[in-house]
Amino acid sequence: MINALRLAQASNTPLRLQVRLAASAARLHALRWETLCDPVTGVSLATSQQVWISRTLASNEWTPVTPWPHQTLRALAVIAAPNNLADYQLAELTVVDEIARAQAALGIQTTTLAGAAATLDQIGTALREGYTILYFVGHSRTVEGETYLWLSDAVGKAVVTPGAALTRRVRELQRRPLLGTLIACDSAGSEDDNTLAALGPQLVTAGIPAVIAAQGYLSLETAARFIPALFTALRSRGQVERAVAEARAAIRERHDWWVPTLLTSLDDGWLW
């Protein structure tokens, strides 16, 4: 890797570092690859403009990925904030604040489902209308190889929903989002052997070509800094690996700076 990095630096070209692991290598998937450092200088690679890090996963879907024209971009923001999260010992989410944060960060046409509207059926119906970005804020947990989401029912109470149910809705789509952004703990797995069962990897497998998710616990404070930097960079160029590197640099002083993880099936990293 040292030679590749030095050659990239000599040509003033970013080094695209893609971590490709067999599905059977469960313990390797659980490692914090985003904390890799330059073996000579000890400087973090993931916050550098010179190195773009992603985890490459295989997808079972053969639908071609077609970049969208920038002027047609639109997002579906799902704020999964049932009004009884305390019953599950989960942190309450302030819907008004999360909607404002999503709209300010995304900076494109955005449809929002929140509170009692954030049901599995309404999410699935909305996705069929065609969105470039799926932006999800909520709680998720992976237990014994199964991921669960705390979505809402029609009156705003929590419905603990298997992540596979949402994955199936995505797989049914003729045109899937190009990017999934998951502000949900453990959505890229955690430090165990069930990483690939988490929602983020499953959405890539279902055909979303790039998913940014959390490996472990992501604080709301870190997310509040990471997301605006991410979408500012994405709107500028449309290269998701570069955008993630820029966004990580914006949270480099946070204790959980390494948690946001880019999972992708793309060869070149271009979304639009």
Side-chain angles (χ1 to χ4, degrees), residues 20-121:
R20 296 175 181 264
L21 301 169
S24 58
R27 293 187 182 275
L28 294 181
H29 283 280
L31 293 178
R32 300 175 179 176
W33 294 100
E34 289 68 28
T35 62
L36 282 171
C37 295
D38 186 305
V40 175
T41 66
V43 174
S44 171
L45 296 177
T47 58
S48 171
Q49 290 184 320
Q50 300 177 11
V51 181
W52 301 345
I53 298 178
S54 64
R55 302 187 186 209
T56 302
L57 303 176
S59 173
N60 297 326
E61 296 300 317
W62 290 84
T63 305
V65 177
T66 304
W68 289 42
H70 187 276
Q71 63 270 23
T72 66
L73 301 183
R74 62 193 202 124
L76 175 66
V78 178
I79 313 300
N83 56 29
N84 62 331
L85 287 173
D87 294 345
Y88 300 88
Q89 298 182 321
L90 295 172
E92 299 287 348
L93 298 172
T94 305
V95 171
V96 173
D97 292 346
E98 293 301 334
I99 291 175
R101 184 175 293 120
Q103 292 176 338
L106 289 163
I108 59 175
Q109 180 184 345
T110 301
T111 299
T112 303
L113 297 178
T119 68
L120 177 63
D121 284 342

Side-chain angles (χ1 to χ4, degrees), residues 199-271:
L199 180 61
Q202 290 300 308
L203 289 178
V204 175
T205 301
I208 297 182
V211 174
I212 299 166
Q215 187 184 22
Y217 176 77
L218 179 67
S219 66
L220 291 177
E221 294 83 358
T222 299
R225 298 187 192 182
F226 178 84
I227 293 300
L230 171 73
F231 284 104
T232 295
L234 265 178
R235 288 194 303 270
S236 174
R237 296 182 180 272
Q239 218 292 344
V240 66
E241 296 161 330
R242 175 174 181 159
V244 170
E246 296 290 350
R248 281 205 196 99
I251 58 171
R252 65 167 74 245
E253 304 302 328
R254 297 287 302 171
H255 68 279
D256 51 352
W257 67 267
W258 53 270
V259 172
T261 301
L262 173 58
L263 312 164
T264 180
S265 61
L266 293 169
D267 291 327
D268 58 10
W270 289 98
L271 297 177

